[in-house]
Amino acid sequence: MQTPALYNLTLSEIEALMRAWGQPAFRAKQIYRQLYVNVAADPAAMSDLPAALRARLRAETRMGSLALDQVQVGDEGLTRKARFRLDDGTTIETVLMIYLDRATVCVSTQAGCAMGCVFCATGRLGLLRNLTPGEMVAQVLWASHELRRVADEGSAVSVQPSRVTNVVFMGMGEPFANYDRWWAAVERLHDPQGFNLGARSMTVSTVGLVPGIRRLTAEALPINLAISLHAPDDALRSTLLPVNVRYPLADLLAATRDYTQQTGRRVSFEYVLLQGQNDHPHQALALAKLLRGHGAYGADRGVPLLCHVNLIPWNPLPDSSLGRSEHERVLAFQRVLLDYGVACTIRVERGMGIAAACGQLAGVLPPPPSQLSSTS
Ligand code: SAH
Ligand code: SF4
């Protein structure tokens, strides 16, 4: 059996462990504070614990169950991608992005993904397994420790926030296909007695699983919602995102509209631009009409959706026949949306040189589909 990993334990499970070790009850809270408030990297740094307890923690527990395999550094030190090996040997990736005023961690929620979007590296893996809350939380703690290490080294990054300010669940996997465990991770990160990350500092991205959107609408914590749209009509969307067959645009937009109306919060739509596929001006216009309530889908005709569009030039995958939209086409697409009154930005790119950009996370590189089919 593996030694227990502290990030995999809830506060009451740490309390149970301390009881089993014959420790006073308050030790559990001290450990919890060390893990999430002081962000200790190791039991040795938990200076308010007796030396014997620190030693026992070191001998009989681990901090987390992610074994760091490799860190790749790009964007002159400002983007750092970690690859971790899990207890069962599968690998996942996490990306830390450092900006002047914030530090964002892109967290994986599953190893692989079952959704099969044709433009995504993770989708090529299929679903390997769901991550546990502790495995998601541990990715954020890795980023916290990494930030501190970078600051201590006084390396290239001279000005940087001292702690993680934002978490985006946009790494490997579909968060809403692992909702309960993912939500437990959100609550742990949010805990004001612990890591204390504000709900508005967390963003979840979904491929458009309608039940998940409806559950999130009912949650008390107001975390941000991003939805991967990528096409203005069902026919095209179903070829790019097979899940659209199950949750077509009318259902997706109805759930999104309910979300914005019930929460008063704006959603972001992500739109990956693929040259010649979904980046024509007429498609931009169709998208704009859809979101302004003038399109073919959606019941509330004429009522604009409270939203924002984030255009993502596609990040290439090896052996794919898809192409990345040229910059002029991206700008033209944006112009159509803006002219129609839809707020629209182009995502600032990070991590291209180290395959850490959106949709490039694959742990170990999967065989390209062309090779798979050539064996048949
Ligand atoms: N499963 C969730 C979250 C992870 S993917 C989702 O699909 O929303 C995060 C974002 O990266 C999504 O918007 C996804 O469509 C986008 N993406 C996937 N592959 C990409 C690629 N190769 N280039 C650019 N963006 C990509
Ligand atoms: Fe899964 Fe998101 Fe990739 Fe689609 S884009 S395969 S949902 S990770």
Side-chain angles (χ1 to χ4, degrees), residues 5 13 15 82 88 91 107 111 127 132 158 163 206 212 217 221 238-239 246 251 261 298 326 339 352 354 359:
E13 287 166 337
E15 279 164 356
D88 58 5
T91 51
V107 171
L127 179 63
T132 64
S158 55
R163 58 166 286 162
T206 179
T217 305
L221 285 183
S238 296
T239 65
R246 199 145 146 232
D251 297 354
Q261 286 173 350
E326 285 150 14
D339 286 348
M352 280 283 269
I354 53 170

Side-chain angles (χ1 to χ4, degrees), residues 80 98 144-163:
R80 289 158 181 266
I98 304 171
S144 306
H145 299 149
E146 183 75 1
L147 261 183
R148 193 183 285 170
R149 247 176 18 81
V150 171
D152 289 349
E153 278 171 4
S155 51
V157 196
S158 55
V159 189
Q160 63 162 75
S162 58
R163 58 166 286 162

Side-chain angles (χ1 to χ4, degrees), residues 15 17 35 48 54 96 101 189 235 315 336 339 365 372-373:
E15 279 164 356
L17 183 68
L35 292 174
D48 55 345
R54 274 183 271 158
L96 167 64
D101 57 340
L189 293 170
N315 296 313
V336 173
D339 286 348
L365 217 60
L372 289 176
S373 54

Side-chain angles (χ1 to χ4, degrees), residues 113-117 119-124 171-174 207 228 230 359:
C113 182
M115 299 297 145
C117 304
F119 47 83
C120 172
T122 309
R124 286 182 177 179
M172 298 168 76
E174 166 52 39
V207 69
S228 296
H230 309 328

